[in-house]
Amino acid sequence: MSATHGADLARAQRLLALKRTGEALAIVTVVLSSQPDDPAALRLAARCQSALGSNAEALRTAKAAVAADPHSEHGYRILAEVLRRTKSHKAAAEAAAEAVRLAPEEWRAHLTQAQCLLRVDPNAALKAAERACELAPQSADTHYVRGAILRTLRKKEEARAAYRQALAINPQHAQAHGALAILDQSRWGWGGSLRGFRRALSIDPQQRTLRLNLESVILRRLWRLGWLAVIGMQIVSGSAESSSGHEVRVTAVVADAVLVAATWALLWPNRRDLGVFGWRLVRTDRRALACESVVVGAVLLIAACAIAPSITNSGIYVGVWLAAELAVVLILFQLRAMARRVARNPEAL
């Protein structure tokens, strides 16, 4: 390889690290046009293609890189990573095992093997991750991957400790923040979960999986707000039957205040990621639209009671109220799957 091509590949490597993947691939393509069998260029091209989602091209390029330099663990490691992205887990594990055979003291080979074995044999994956941690104890990635495997094995507290170790080494590790947020979600630590996903997104705003996780938590809480709205409507309805107009007004005001405050506390802190009052999420997800519509409708009906308690004696109003309650309950039951939705694991594995 000429010095010029070496400099070009180094520049492409830096661009890839900055996630300017298209620019990096363009540079590597120029290098390959004059040196089509250069293994370093082929390896870098495969990484770029994989990052851009061109898995079929990445697989062909990774195989060409291995053929060009069959004694390089790096080539087998990249091939394993590409195969894992295509969900060819067994073939990925075999390629990673060859990388470990070629370079048994290379921690990246053991880390890749751990990632590839996760869907094949989690216990063997944990051993590979622990070996990677032994070889590179100051790498945040090794501890993060070990934590992800422990979480798969349902060893949540050990996973939490591993994620925290990763963050102690690199406080800007977005995936570790996201993984801790998922664990907080499973502990009903809603506030901590939302803060964790927001923190991770502030570090890596392009990470789509982190955004999906944040939206998952918001959707769950919106669904619960819908049931809170049902409870508020029931309380106000009950007070209208047995209390004076003043008591109905007070009950309605308190119920509306609780609903508005709970909705504001959920959506306002997340306005940067979801838009003001979640309008971006509402535009793209009908479930969010349904839940917000339920809460807004309940707030308006309860507000009508607060403004004019006497209307609760109107047959038309009572009919509208009962129809609204029935519609709300049906909508929430239709969306009950949101309460069981599991947030996705960040895509390092």
Side-chain angles (χ1 to χ4, degrees):
M1 181 191 300
S2 69
T4 302
H5 284 165
D8 287 341
L9 291 182
R11 185 157 62 94
Q13 182 78 42
R14 290 193 295 271
L15 288 169
L16 180 59
L18 294 171
K19 297 192 175 181
R20 294 164 60 180
T21 312
E23 296 174 57
L25 182 57
I27 293 171
V28 178
T29 301
V30 171
V31 173
L32 286 172
S33 65
S34 59
Q35 295 188 357
D37 295 324
D38 184 285
L42 287 167
R43 290 192 292 263
L44 188 51
R47 290 178 59 198
C48 292
Q49 290 162 346
S50 181
L52 290 170
S54 303
N55 291 325
E57 292 180 26
L59 185 57
R60 286 194 296 270
T61 307
K63 289 179 177 178
V66 168
D69 187 1
H71 302 295
S72 168
E73 68 80 26
H74 195 185
Y76 280 101
R77 176 154 46 93
I78 290 174
L79 176 59
E81 291 169 355
V82 172
L83 286 166
R84 181 170 61 86
R85 280 181 174 267
T86 63
K87 302 191 184 304
S88 302
H89 299 298
K90 186 175 180 181
E94 291 171 356
E98 182 62 16
V100 169
R101 187 190 69 79
L102 290 168
E105 299 302 312
E106 172 54 64
W107 66 270
R108 294 177 185 84
H110 289 278
L111 188 66
T112 300
Q113 185 179 42
Q115 292 173 305
C116 294
L117 283 170
L118 181 62
R119 302 287 184 263
V120 179
D121 185 347
N123 289 303
L126 181 59
K127 291 180 181 179
E130 288 173 344
R131 178 57 178 156
C133 288
E134 291 173 7
L135 292 169
Q138 294 306 310
S139 167
D141 287 341
T142 59
H143 295 284
Y144 168 75
V145 170
R146 179 173 173 271
I149 295 168
L150 287 166
R151 179 173 175 268
T152 300
L153 292 169
R154 301 185 182 279
K155 299 179 180 181
K156 293 185 178 180
E157 292 311 310
E158 291 180 55
R160 188 182 298 276
Y163 293 143
R164 286 177 174 160
Q165 180 63 31
L167 289 172
I169 296 168
N170 178 12
Q172 298 298 304
H173 199 289
Q175 290 167 326
H177 281 295
L180 275 175
I182 291 175
L183 289 178
D184 286 338
Q185 181 179 344
S186 66
R187 292 172 109 193
W188 292 83
W190 296 108
S193 182
L194 286 171
R195 285 192 298 272
F197 287 130
R198 285 201 301 270
R199 191 178 302 118
L201 278 169
S202 69
I203 296 168
D204 187 1
Q206 303 304 316
Q207 175 57 262
R208 182 173 178 271
T209 306
L210 292 172
R211 189 170 301 281
L212 287 172
N213 282 333
L214 176 65
E215 292 175 1
S216 173
V217 178
I218 296 293
L219 282 168
R220 281 181 163 196
R221 295 192 70 178
L222 280 173
W223 187 79
R224 284 166 173 77
L225 276 177
W227 284 111
L228 181 62
V230 172
I231 293 170
M233 291 174 72
Q234 284 292 323
I235 291 172
V236 173
S237 176
S239 70
E241 295 176 2
S242 59
S243 304
S244 65
H246 175 70
E247 290 172 335
V248 172
R249 177 177 282 117
V250 171
T251 303
V253 168
V254 170
D256 255 0
V258 169
L259 278 174
V260 170
T263 304
W264 182 88
L266 173 62
L267 296 177
W268 185 252
N270 298 289
R271 62 192 182 279
R272 178 179 174 184
D273 300 302
L274 304 178
V276 177
F277 295 112
W279 69 268
R280 287 196 200 108
L281 181 58
V282 168
R283 273 188 359 182
T284 58
D285 197 311
R286 291 181 180 178
R287 295 167 300 178
L289 175 61
C291 289
E292 284 205 27
S293 298
V294 162
V295 175
V296 170
V299 167
L300 292 176
L301 282 171
I302 293 171
C305 290
I307 294 168
S310 61
I311 68 170
T312 58
N313 298 320
S314 164
I316 295 176
Y317 183 81
V318 171
V320 170
W321 185 280
L322 292 175
E325 278 195 311
L326 178 61
V328 164
V329 170
L330 289 175
I331 289 170
L332 293 174
F333 269 112
Q334 185 67 25
L335 298 174
R336 65 189 180 277
M338 290 198 314
R340 300 192 297 270
R341 184 177 175 186
V342 178
R344 297 169 177 84
N345 200 16
E347 284 293 342
L349 291 182

